[in-house]
Amino acid sequence: MFAVTKDRNDTRFASRPATLLAGVIVLGGLTACSSYRSTPAGMAAAPAAPAAAPTGLQVNPPTPDPRVGLAPGMFDAGEAIWNLDLVSTTPPPDPFVGQTNSDLAFSGPYAIQGNYDGIQIWDISDPANPQTVVTYVCPASQSDVSVYENLLFVSGEGFGGRLDCGDQGVEEAVSHDRLRGIRIFDISDITAPEYVANVQTCRGSHTHTLLEHPGDDENVYIYVSGSAPVRPAEELAGCSGGPPADDPNTALFRIEVIRVPLADPASAEIVSSPRIFEDLVAPPTHGPAPDDIAALEAARERGAFIIEVQGQEMVLPEQASQQMLGQIVAQRGGEGPPTAADSATLRQALPMIVAQMAGPQGDGDGPEPGPTQCHDITVYPAIGLAGGACEGYGMLLDISDPENPRRLSAVSDSNFSYWHSATFNNDGSAILFTDEWGGGGAPKCRASDPMEWGANAIFTIEDTEMEFQSYFKLPAPQTPEENCVAHNGSLIPIPGRDIMIQGWYQGGVSLIDWTDPANPAEIAYFDRGPVNPDRMQMGGSWSVYWYNGVIVNSEIARGLDVLELVPSEAMTQNEIDAANSVRLTHLNSQGQPIFEWPATFALARAYLDQLERHGGLAAARIDRLRAGLAEAEEMTGPARADALRSLADGVSRGAAGAGDAAKVRMLADAVRSLANAGM
């Protein structure tokens, strides 16, 4: 078997039509967001679910949709924005121009942006003018980041990552210079991160989750989701990629848990490898979309390399095939372009490469095995649960014992190709999963693509079981030159509602209201035209998060965007002000904080605005309560407190007869909290 190396600076790639194909691409020296295994099959999709607005929410998006037909360009593309304000756009620093920006973490006034070549720290205290703090070159894709106090954690999975952060890569198949795992930095001086330790893992760290467990103030925990091939035991002792029946210690079918002592982070180590995938089998999934079938036939006619991944044919990206062919030429001592014999050698080798990436398969007498790892695990310590987005399944995990997470339930869906990430609503009664169909590097929002594929799936949580409610997919069709599929985002603390900002790669940024889990609706967006007008070239929103009043977007090719909410028919200024009253000390992409609102007049008025929007309280009653709040706000001291208590008591008495009694009780609690705060 031949290996393939690459120039570390070449991180662009043309297509990633499936997640297992991404593994072949890695062997071909290219990069990928998704993990390296998929479970394609040939099942029909369910009928489309309409993306209706929640009851009482009236939204009137611009028509025709201005996102369709935007002008292309790297830094001069056309833009469309609705119900958001673009505060600033900052291009990447010179060392990272042309490299892939990945995920974000936040600490104090800083946004920490991963990049396949290292980390970039921005000071966003002035959202209109972010300032670079440090550009730290340390290649090892994907460089997903998380932060806790003075510690920064960075994922490394690429075969070229080095322990010394050198940019020369690693050429050898087995090398003790290679880093695949978690890097740990001390950022006490954030202008000069100090590399203090690393924890090597058998499959590297594609992404990771930082768990701050409420019962442990001496340690933090890292859940490692490693999706690359298992490294040889000669490189890291104890690594094995065999099936569990042959090797009970196999590095497959498990995650890694790293314990990091806060007093001595250099002593961080793997403390367990929970096998949360036991007894799961490969779920049914769908086949190719109409445009993909047409592209496959065209590729076959021109002699492209076609591979079969678990029953589904896919086109090997030309960049990967050319690099593989080049190495075949070099291995036989030849020069010049590859010959027909070289092409034949590659065609013969490709099934072996795919088999290596696929890992253990069934014995033919039963179903194929299920997932071997997760892509993301979102922990919600306040409720003791985590949502695992794990290849062919969405999982609910019990994290009460941080070193031994335990699977409570799992769901699969033939419309989902690759369960990628998870987000809980604030009270933990629902969870939203994303499907990264095509691995993030393919155009999966074309007009002919089914609206259930590459979408979000929303479930309610009932006694640790997940019950499906609806799908949501970006409603604006994108071009074949734009990679587009559901990707990363976060809740926004609009009180009394479940509002999520989400990145869709070159589909842009979308603001979704999923308060009614059966009827999610888009209420705002920001989008740009294609990076390249002639071919698919990576770009767009890798991830976007709300943090202390601003929305920060990691743009794969174009740098960093900062946006803000603006009042609209779907969201009032009071709701925005109440959200912005929530202040976080830090935020990590896979660590969900519980939102708690301080006592403010904006909070009470936000609930009144919602009651008015949804008809949850009589209009005359709402007018009187608004007037009462205004009068109380003009008072001070005991007089204000007495007025607010009287108002709260009146609201409580009227809750039973209201159209939305639960929201009226929330209003009463908000007014009472104002009184008790002595405001």
Side-chain angles (χ1 to χ4, degrees):
M1 181 70 68
F2 58 90
V4 177
T5 58
K6 67 179 283 287
D7 177 350
R8 70 162 189 91
N9 291 310
D10 189 0
T11 61
R12 295 166 295 178
F13 52 98
S15 174
R16 286 184 300 175
T19 51
L20 201 155
L21 177 58
V24 181
I25 292 172
V26 166
L27 290 182
L30 305 178
T31 58
C33 165
S34 67
S35 299
Y36 304 121
R37 190 165 185 271
S38 66
T39 52
M43 292 192 63
T55 304
L57 176 60
Q58 300 297 321
V59 290
N60 297 290
T63 54
D65 196 313
R67 290 172 287 186
V68 177
L70 288 171
M74 177 61 78
F75 296 109
D76 59 350
E79 297 178 347
I81 193 165
W82 173 57
N83 290 347
L84 293 170
D85 179 38
L86 180 61
V87 179
S88 64
T89 295
T90 307
D94 289 343
F96 291 165
V97 172
Q99 307 306 310
T100 298
N101 292 315
S102 58
D103 221 336
L104 293 164
F106 302 87
S107 180
Y110 303 109
I112 304 168
Q113 184 178 36
N115 181 281
Y116 276 33
D117 266 2
I119 53 175
Q120 170 64 36
I121 300 178
W122 304 95
D123 183 338
I124 58 170
S125 53
D126 178 2
N129 188 29
Q131 297 294 307
T132 183
V133 176
V134 65
T135 302
Y136 194 101
V137 175
C138 187
S141 64
Q142 297 180 143
S143 298
D144 279 11
V145 291
S146 65
V147 64
Y148 181 77
E149 295 182 349
N150 65 321
L151 296 177
L152 172 66
F153 304 91
V154 184
S155 283
E157 182 179 58
F159 294 96
R162 297 180 58 88
L163 290 171
D164 61 7
C165 285
D167 62 2
Q168 66 269 43
V170 180
E171 301 293 331
E172 298 81 9
V174 175
S175 173
H176 295 289
D177 294 325
R178 181 175 284 120
L179 179 285
R180 291 176 63 198
I182 297 291
R183 302 186 195 270
I184 304 175
F185 293 87
D186 186 321
I187 54 171
S188 299
D189 179 359
I190 202 164
T191 66
E194 179 186 356
Y195 190 3
V196 297
N198 64 77
V199 180
Q200 298 270 29
T201 65
C202 290
R203 301 185 70 182
S205 173
H206 188 70
T207 72
H208 70 268
T209 304
L210 190 148
L211 171 59
E212 308 163 41
H213 196 271
D216 187 347
D217 57 6
E218 296 182 353
N219 305 283
V220 293
Y221 297 86
I222 305 291
Y223 291 175
V224 179
S225 296
S227 54
V230 178
R231 64 207 303 181
E234 294 84 358
E235 185 172 283
L236 185 63
C239 292
S240 165
D246 297 340
D247 183 359
N249 296 316
T250 179
L252 303 176
F253 303 100
R254 73 188 195 193
I255 63 172
E256 314 292 352
V257 178
I258 298 172
R259 183 176 61 218
V260 184
L262 297 175
D264 182 19
S267 66
E269 62 179 347
I270 296 172
V271 293
S272 67
S273 299
R275 297 196 177 278
I276 60 174
F277 311 107
E278 289 182 347
D279 305 322
L280 294 178
V281 299
T285 61
H286 59 75
D291 282 4
D292 295 328
I293 294 173
L296 182 66
E297 293 307 313
R300 196 188 313 276
E301 289 180 6
R302 67 175 183 267
F305 291 88
I306 309 297
I307 62 174
E308 184 174 310
V309 179
Q310 296 180 351
Q312 182 175 335
E313 290 187 319
M314 303 175 183
V315 181
L316 182 67
E318 183 177 359
Q319 190 174 352
S321 63
Q322 289 302 312
Q323 290 193 17
M324 292 178 178
L325 286 168
Q327 188 157 15
I328 292 174
V329 172
Q331 286 181 345
R332 64 173 170 78
E335 296 180 354
T339 65
D342 296 327
S343 294
T345 299
L346 178 56
R347 292 186 197 280
Q348 184 179 11
L350 280 172
M352 297 175 63
I353 296 175
V354 173
Q356 176 187 355
M357 301 308 307
Q361 303 298 299
D363 57 13
D365 296 330
E368 297 292 335
T372 69
Q373 80 283 320
C374 292
H375 188 282
D376 279 16
I377 301 173
T378 296
V379 293
Y380 197 176
I383 62 173
L385 297 176
C390 306
E391 281 193 332
Y393 286 85
M395 299 184 186
L396 197 63
L397 305 175
D398 179 348
I399 57 170
S400 55
D401 178 353
E403 294 186 10
N404 296 286
R406 181 174 58 90
R407 190 178 86 226
L408 298 173
S409 58
V411 291
S412 62
D413 182 346
S414 63
N415 285 317
F416 259 43
S417 174
Y418 196 87
W419 299 69
H420 177 275
S421 54
T423 303
F424 291 92
N425 66 348
N426 196 56
D427 68 8
S429 63
I431 187 168
L432 180 152
F433 289 99
T434 66
D435 172 20
E436 196 185 37
W437 173 39
K444 297 300 185 182
C445 301
R446 299 159 297 191
S448 64
D449 289 329
M451 292 300 287
E452 306 84 13
W453 298 5
N456 301 327
I458 301 171
F459 296 79
T460 53
I461 301 173
E462 302 171 16
D463 296 326
T464 73
E465 296 295 326
M466 292 176 283
E467 300 292 335
F468 174 77
Q469 299 298 317
S470 66
Y471 298 108
F472 173 86
K473 187 172 182 179
L474 187 79
Q478 304 292 303
T479 69
E481 291 72 47
E482 294 173 285
N483 56 304
C484 177
V485 76
H487 214 228
N488 299 340
S490 75
L491 288 185
I492 296 179
I494 302 296
R497 299 173 69 183
D498 299 328
I499 306 291
M500 178 177 174
I501 191 74
Q502 183 179 12
W504 292 78
Y505 289 109
Q506 288 199 72
V509 168
S510 179
L511 189 67
I512 307 161
D513 185 330
W514 54 298
T515 308
D516 178 355
N519 293 290
E522 183 177 58
I523 59 174
Y525 56 70
F526 170 62
D527 190 18
R528 292 186 174 97
V531 169
N532 190 312
D534 302 318
R535 62 178 176 86
M536 217 304 297
Q537 181 176 335
M538 281 293 289
S541 175
W542 180 289
S543 57
V544 60
Y545 304 107
W546 181 94
Y547 181 70
N548 290 349
V550 294
I551 296 168
V552 184
N553 178 41
S554 179
E555 222 289 353
I556 289 171
R558 297 172 173 118
L560 194 80
D561 297 319
V562 181
L563 302 103
E564 289 181 344
L565 299 169
V566 296
S568 67
E569 60 190 348
M571 186 178 300
T572 67
Q573 186 64 55
N574 289 319
E575 290 175 298
I576 296 170
D577 291 344
N580 293 347
S581 71
V582 175
R583 310 305 290 180
L584 304 175
T585 59
H586 64 287
L587 179 67
N588 294 311
S589 62
Q590 296 183 44
Q592 190 164 330
I594 189 168
F595 291 138
E596 297 178 320
W597 291 266
T600 63
F601 280 92
L603 177 62
R605 290 184 173 119
Y607 289 138
L608 278 172
D609 293 345
Q610 292 167 11
L611 288 164
E612 180 179 52
R613 180 184 297 123
H614 299 294
L617 194 62
R621 179 66 173 149
I622 290 173
D623 289 342
R624 289 194 296 273
L625 290 173
R626 282 177 173 153
L629 282 173
E631 291 175 4
E633 191 172 17
E634 294 297 318
M635 302 176 185
T636 59
R640 172 187 280 188
D642 290 344
L644 289 169
R645 289 191 187 97
S646 176
L647 196 62
D649 290 343
V651 171
S652 295
R653 286 193 297 271
D660 187 347
K663 185 63 62 70
V664 172
R665 284 191 287 270
M666 294 167 72
L667 170 62
D669 289 343
V671 176
R672 191 167 289 109
S673 294
L674 269 175
N676 295 337
M679 300 181 68

